[in-house]
């Protein structure tokens, strides 16, 4: 995976999320300011801010996401829709809750789909096992 391609795709994703206006600007600022989230691919759904470990459509669902709550607070859920993390009073608190629950080895987004990411990770594991 080319680091420059990943960075370009991710930055374009952040710009798209900013431009679509569905996520509170203060939440976007807090997420983008976080070095562990900035290299992930952001996407929105129903005013929620999601993060993906790949840039291709359907994205990954292994990172918690943040929902706005009436009154200016937030709710952190996920990574699956059936899982909840809890309430957050501020954007920074919500982002901290996401950071605490990042999957192991989570770094910059992979350029491709979830299936391509899974295949890449399997190859990487196999290469590591072969070199051990």
């Amino acid at each position: 995976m080319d680091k420059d391609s990943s960075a370009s795709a991710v930055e374009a994703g952040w710009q798209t999320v900013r431009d679509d206006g569905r996520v509170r600007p203060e939440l976007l600022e807090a997420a983008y300011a976080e070095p562990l989230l900035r290299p992930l691919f952001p996407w929105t759904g129903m005013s929620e801010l999601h993060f993906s470990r790949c840039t291709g459509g359907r994205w990954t669902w292994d990172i918690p996401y943040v929902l706005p709550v009436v009154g200016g607070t937030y709710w952190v859920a996920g990574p699956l829709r059936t899982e909840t993390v809890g309430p957050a009073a501020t954007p920074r608190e919500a982002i901290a809750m996401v950071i605490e629950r990042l999957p192991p080895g989570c770094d910059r987004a992979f350029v491709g789909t979830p299936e391509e990411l899974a295949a890449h990770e399997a190859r990487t594991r196999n290469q590591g096992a072969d070199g051990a």
Side-chain angles (χ1 to χ4, degrees):
M1 168 179 55
D2 181 315
K3 186 176 179 177
D4 291 336
S5 296
S6 176
S8 295
V10 167
E11 197 54 44
W14 282 102
Q15 190 58 53
T16 297
V17 169
R18 283 185 198 100
D19 291 346
D20 78 15
R22 290 189 278 173
V23 174
R24 293 177 185 164
E26 60 274 13
L27 178 60
L28 278 175
E29 289 172 22
Y32 189 78
E34 174 50 58
L36 294 173
L37 293 182
R38 188 178 314 126
L40 298 176
F41 191 83
W43 60 280
T44 60
M46 300 183 292
S47 299
E48 304 160 347
L49 179 58
H50 295 259
F51 307 94
S52 176
R53 295 186 310 115
C54 67
T55 62
R58 286 192 345 278
W59 303 293
T60 59
W61 276 85
D62 55 356
I63 299 172
Y65 58 96
V66 183
L67 300 83
V69 177
V70 175
T73 61
Y74 300 89
W75 185 263
V76 181
L80 302 175
R81 289 241 180 246
T82 57
E83 300 172 310
T84 63
V85 176
T90 67
R92 291 179 77 188
E93 184 180 328
I95 294 305
M97 293 167 78
V98 171
I99 295 298
E100 291 171 2
R101 291 161 179 84
L102 286 175
C106 189
D107 57 9
R108 72 178 182 267
F110 178 84
V111 177
T113 66
E115 294 80 15
E116 292 167 331
L117 171 60
H120 169 76
E121 290 175 336
R123 281 191 306 274
T124 302
R125 277 191 304 275
N126 290 340
Q127 289 170 353
D130 292 343

